[in-house]
Amino acid sequence: MGKVWNVGVAGLGAMGRVVAGGLASGELPGMRLAAVAEVCAENPFDVPKVDFCALALACDLVCECLPAAAVPDLAAACLPAGTDMVVITSAALLLYPEILEAHRDSRARIFVPSGALAGMDAVRALASAGAVTGARLASTKPPAGFGRADIVDKTRIFAGNALGAARAYPANVNVAATLTLASGLPPEAVEVEVWADPAATGNTHEIRVESAFSVVTARVEGQPDPANPKTSALAGRSVLAALRRLTAPLVVG
Ligand SMILES: NC(=O)c1ccc[n+]([C@@H]2O[C@H](COP(=O)([O-])OP(=O)(O)OC[C@H]3O[C@@H](n4cnc5c(N)ncnc54)[C@H](O)[C@@H]3O)[C@@H](O)[C@H]2O)c1
């Protein structure tokens, strides 16, 4: 039998519970939930709750499921220790450049799952040829998703680039940061629109990525996880799918 990865989860909110639950249920061959870190919520898992430093030391890989502002502290524990990270709050990688700077001096790897987006396989392929010439994202959510119950008509609440979007909506537009990182373009070059729509029943993300030899368009109409309505079913599953790729004998896409 090959190596068993000890995996930690930082943050046991909506996303962290989906990820830790998948690990604890044994659905990921070759991986086990080793420890968690959480400041407020209860720990329903049968593993120790520890601080970020102890988590980094106890684990081969840590899944970040935190608010953006807490990600630099987790990275400061994991990267010097050489502990790999899965970062779902990709906006933090744009907002806190010190994370990617520290990463350059570390042997740890950072994995950014596709989250609530589709089409990242094709974008990655174009980016590997340095061929991406333009990238655009439009995200639409119900107004409550932005804490804007006052909005009664479909309204564009942001138009700008991926860095501006991450600053304005760090909890909502990780997709803009993920698209940026996959495309290889600087965040200032990725165009982003954010819409609040009272008629929307879920979160919709549409991308258009242009290159000299292909144009990629992809649209996801995301629904909440039936077991955990606070997180989108696709985003939670994307973390578990990213973990599965790390030990899978056959990797597609
Ligand atoms: N990439 C994507 O497509 C995508 C999709 C959905 C969510 N996300 C991101 O995933 C992250 C998690 O989302 P969520 O819905 O689970 O959020 P959440 O608010 O439900 O959970 C965050 C948890 O982190 C805990 N926490 C905060 N600071 C901490 C600290 N210093 N140490 C330990 N625990 C701490 C909180 O107590 C909370 O339980 C968010 O940043 C969200 O924006 C990304």
Side-chain angles (χ1 to χ4, degrees):
M1 198 170 106
K3 168 188 157 169
V4 174
W5 290 53
N6 286 315
V7 181
V9 176
L12 290 181
M15 175 76 70
R17 278 165 195 259
V18 169
V19 175
L23 283 159
S25 73
E27 75 168 86
L28 297 171
M31 294 194 166
R32 69 177 196 100
L33 181 65
V36 296
E38 166 60 53
V39 280
C40 298
E42 267 178 48
N43 170 19
F45 301 101
D46 192 18
V47 296
K49 183 164 97 168
V50 297
D51 65 20
F52 287 165
C53 284
L55 191 69
L57 292 178
C59 297
D60 304 299
L61 177 143
V62 169
C63 294
E64 171 276 314
C65 301
L66 298 165
V71 182
D73 284 348
L74 181 67
C78 290
L79 299 179
T83 304
D84 293 339
M85 298 178 74
V86 170
V87 174
I88 191 67
T89 309
S90 51
L93 300 178
L94 302 191
L95 292 170
Y96 305 102
E98 66 267 28
I99 298 176
L100 291 181
E101 274 159 33
H103 178 241
R104 276 191 276 277
D105 298 328
S106 164
R107 64 187 158 83
R109 293 170 299 166
I110 295 180
F111 304 96
V112 178
S114 51
L117 279 185
M120 291 305 96
D121 48 353
V123 175
R124 222 171 35 232
L126 295 178
S128 71
V132 177
T133 53
R136 227 179 290 159
L137 165 80
S139 287
T140 306
K141 293 187 180 187
F146 303 104
R148 291 289 307 272
D150 57 305
I151 292 179
V152 290
D153 296 310
K154 185 174 179 181
T155 306
R156 191 174 72 179
I157 58 171
F158 178 87
N161 65 45
L163 187 59
R167 286 187 179 134
Y169 296 101
N172 279 290
V173 287
N174 289 291
V175 280
T178 302
L179 176 61
T180 300
L181 294 162
S183 73
L185 294 176
E188 293 81 1
V190 175
E191 297 169 47
V192 179
E193 287 189 359
V194 181
W195 293 80
D197 182 0
T201 52
N203 302 339
T204 300
H205 303 293
E206 285 183 86
I207 63 162
R208 179 180 172 87
V209 176
E210 292 169 2
S211 78
F213 39 85
S214 304
V215 173
V216 176
T217 59
R219 174 184 165 95
V220 175
E221 295 175 26
Q223 291 299 321
D225 187 325
N228 192 344
K230 244 204 90 195
T231 192
S232 89
L234 184 60
R237 292 309 307 177
S238 87
V239 178
L240 294 169
L243 291 175
R244 193 177 284 274
R245 286 168 71 92
L246 296 175
T247 56
L250 173 65
V251 178
V252 180

Short mmCIF file of all heavy atoms in Angstrom, two decimals, residues 1-7 28-32 59-61 82-84 107 109 246-247:
data_model
loop_
_atom_site.label_atom_id
_atom_site.label_comp_id
_atom_site.label_asym_id
_atom_site.label_seq_id
_atom_site.Cartn_x
_atom_site.Cartn_y
_atom_site.Cartn_z
N MET A 1 0.85 -1.20 0.00
CA MET A 1 0.00 0.00 0.00
C MET A 1 0.88 1.25 0.00
O MET A 1 1.91 1.28 0.66
CB MET A 1 -0.88 -0.02 1.26
CG MET A 1 -2.07 0.91 1.16
SD MET A 1 -3.21 0.64 2.53
CE MET A 1 -2.92 2.06 3.52
N GLY A 2 0.49 2.28 -0.79
CA GLY A 2 1.28 3.51 -0.86
C GLY A 2 1.11 4.36 0.37
O GLY A 2 0.41 4.00 1.31
N LYS A 3 1.75 5.50 0.32
CA LYS A 3 1.70 6.44 1.44
C LYS A 3 0.26 6.91 1.70
O LYS A 3 -0.49 7.16 0.75
CB LYS A 3 2.59 7.62 1.07
CG LYS A 3 2.46 8.81 1.97
CD LYS A 3 3.21 10.00 1.42
CE LYS A 3 2.61 11.25 2.01
NZ LYS A 3 3.30 12.47 1.82
N VAL A 4 -0.12 7.04 2.95
CA VAL A 4 -1.40 7.66 3.30
C VAL A 4 -1.14 9.11 3.66
O VAL A 4 -0.28 9.40 4.51
CB VAL A 4 -2.09 6.91 4.47
CG1 VAL A 4 -3.33 7.66 4.92
CG2 VAL A 4 -2.44 5.48 4.06
N TRP A 5 -1.83 10.02 2.99
CA TRP A 5 -1.65 11.45 3.25
C TRP A 5 -2.44 11.85 4.49
O TRP A 5 -3.64 11.56 4.59
CB TRP A 5 -2.19 12.29 2.09
CG TRP A 5 -1.43 12.23 0.81
CD1 TRP A 5 -1.07 11.10 0.13
CD2 TRP A 5 -0.97 13.35 0.05
NE1 TRP A 5 -0.41 11.45 -1.02
CE2 TRP A 5 -0.34 12.83 -1.10
CE3 TRP A 5 -1.05 14.72 0.20
CZ2 TRP A 5 0.21 13.64 -2.08
CZ3 TRP A 5 -0.50 15.53 -0.77
CH2 TRP A 5 0.13 14.99 -1.89
N ASN A 6 -1.77 12.52 5.42
CA ASN A 6 -2.47 13.14 6.54
C ASN A 6 -2.94 14.51 6.10
O ASN A 6 -2.13 15.37 5.74
CB ASN A 6 -1.53 13.28 7.75
CG ASN A 6 -1.29 11.94 8.40
OD1 ASN A 6 -2.23 11.18 8.62
ND2 ASN A 6 -0.03 11.64 8.71
N VAL A 7 -4.26 14.71 6.10
CA VAL A 7 -4.83 15.96 5.58
C VAL A 7 -5.50 16.72 6.71
O VAL A 7 -6.22 16.13 7.53
CB VAL A 7 -5.84 15.67 4.44
CG1 VAL A 7 -6.40 16.97 3.88
CG2 VAL A 7 -5.16 14.86 3.34
N LEU A 28 -11.95 9.30 0.10
CA LEU A 28 -10.75 9.64 -0.68
C LEU A 28 -9.66 8.61 -0.40
O LEU A 28 -9.02 8.64 0.65
CB LEU A 28 -10.26 11.04 -0.31
CG LEU A 28 -11.25 12.15 -0.64
CD1 LEU A 28 -10.79 13.47 -0.07
CD2 LEU A 28 -11.42 12.27 -2.14
N PRO A 29 -9.43 7.69 -1.35
CA PRO A 29 -8.44 6.64 -1.11
C PRO A 29 -7.06 7.25 -0.88
O PRO A 29 -6.68 8.21 -1.56
CB PRO A 29 -8.44 5.82 -2.40
CG PRO A 29 -9.56 6.33 -3.24
CD PRO A 29 -10.03 7.63 -2.68
N GLY A 30 -6.33 6.72 0.10
CA GLY A 30 -4.97 7.19 0.34
C GLY A 30 -4.90 8.48 1.14
O GLY A 30 -3.82 9.07 1.26
N MET A 31 -6.03 8.95 1.67
CA MET A 31 -6.01 10.17 2.48
C MET A 31 -6.83 9.97 3.73
O MET A 31 -7.84 9.27 3.71
CB MET A 31 -6.62 11.35 1.71
CG MET A 31 -5.79 11.75 0.52
SD MET A 31 -6.27 13.34 -0.12
CE MET A 31 -4.87 13.68 -1.17
N ARG A 32 -6.39 10.61 4.83
CA ARG A 32 -7.21 10.54 6.03
C ARG A 32 -7.24 11.92 6.68
O ARG A 32 -6.27 12.69 6.57
CB ARG A 32 -6.68 9.50 7.01
CG ARG A 32 -5.37 9.86 7.65
CD ARG A 32 -4.96 8.79 8.67
NE ARG A 32 -3.90 9.32 9.54
CZ ARG A 32 -4.10 9.79 10.75
NH1 ARG A 32 -5.31 9.78 11.29
NH2 ARG A 32 -3.10 10.27 11.46
N CYS A 59 0.34 17.61 9.41
CA CYS A 59 -0.28 17.22 8.13
C CYS A 59 0.71 17.31 6.97
O CYS A 59 1.62 18.13 6.97
CB CYS A 59 -1.48 18.13 7.84
SG CYS A 59 -2.77 17.96 9.09
N ASP A 60 0.44 16.47 5.95
CA ASP A 60 1.17 16.60 4.69
C ASP A 60 0.56 17.71 3.85
O ASP A 60 1.24 18.33 3.03
CB ASP A 60 1.08 15.29 3.89
CG ASP A 60 1.58 14.11 4.68
OD1 ASP A 60 2.76 14.12 5.05
OD2 ASP A 60 0.78 13.19 4.95
N LEU A 61 -0.73 17.93 4.04
CA LEU A 61 -1.46 18.89 3.22
C LEU A 61 -2.60 19.47 4.05
O LEU A 61 -3.25 18.75 4.82
CB LEU A 61 -2.01 18.16 1.99
CG LEU A 61 -2.88 18.95 1.03
CD1 LEU A 61 -2.58 18.50 -0.40
CD2 LEU A 61 -4.34 18.73 1.30
N GLY A 82 6.86 23.53 4.81
CA GLY A 82 6.83 22.67 3.63
C GLY A 82 5.55 21.88 3.51
O GLY A 82 5.51 20.85 2.82
N THR A 83 4.49 22.33 4.16
CA THR A 83 3.20 21.63 4.12
C THR A 83 2.38 22.14 2.94
O THR A 83 2.13 23.35 2.83
CB THR A 83 2.42 21.86 5.44
OG1 THR A 83 3.25 21.45 6.53
CG2 THR A 83 1.12 21.08 5.46
N ASP A 84 1.98 21.23 2.06
CA ASP A 84 1.19 21.62 0.89
C ASP A 84 -0.15 22.21 1.33
O ASP A 84 -0.68 21.87 2.40
CB ASP A 84 0.93 20.40 -0.01
CG ASP A 84 2.20 19.87 -0.66
OD1 ASP A 84 3.19 20.63 -0.75
OD2 ASP A 84 2.20 18.69 -1.07
N ARG A 107 9.20 24.72 -0.32
CA ARG A 107 9.03 23.52 -1.15
C ARG A 107 7.57 23.07 -1.16
O ARG A 107 7.19 22.11 -1.82
CB ARG A 107 9.96 22.40 -0.66
CG ARG A 107 9.65 21.90 0.72
CD ARG A 107 10.72 20.91 1.21
NE ARG A 107 10.72 20.85 2.66
CZ ARG A 107 9.89 20.11 3.37
NH1 ARG A 107 9.01 19.35 2.78
NH2 ARG A 107 9.97 20.12 4.70
N ARG A 109 3.64 22.97 -2.06
CA ARG A 109 2.87 23.31 -3.26
C ARG A 109 1.52 23.90 -2.85
O ARG A 109 1.00 23.57 -1.78
CB ARG A 109 2.65 22.06 -4.11
CG ARG A 109 3.96 21.54 -4.70
CD ARG A 109 3.80 20.18 -5.34
NE ARG A 109 3.36 19.20 -4.36
CZ ARG A 109 2.89 17.99 -4.67
NH1 ARG A 109 2.77 17.62 -5.92
NH2 ARG A 109 2.51 17.16 -3.72
N LEU A 246 -4.74 13.97 -6.44
CA LEU A 246 -3.38 13.88 -5.90
C LEU A 246 -2.92 12.44 -5.70
O LEU A 246 -1.73 12.17 -5.71
CB LEU A 246 -3.29 14.64 -4.57
CG LEU A 246 -3.52 16.15 -4.68
CD1 LEU A 246 -3.52 16.80 -3.31
CD2 LEU A 246 -2.45 16.78 -5.56
N THR A 247 -3.89 11.54 -5.51
CA THR A 247 -3.49 10.15 -5.28
C THR A 247 -4.00 9.21 -6.37
O THR A 247 -3.69 8.02 -6.36
CB THR A 247 -4.03 9.62 -3.92
OG1 THR A 247 -5.44 9.80 -3.91
CG2 THR A 247 -3.42 10.37 -2.75
#
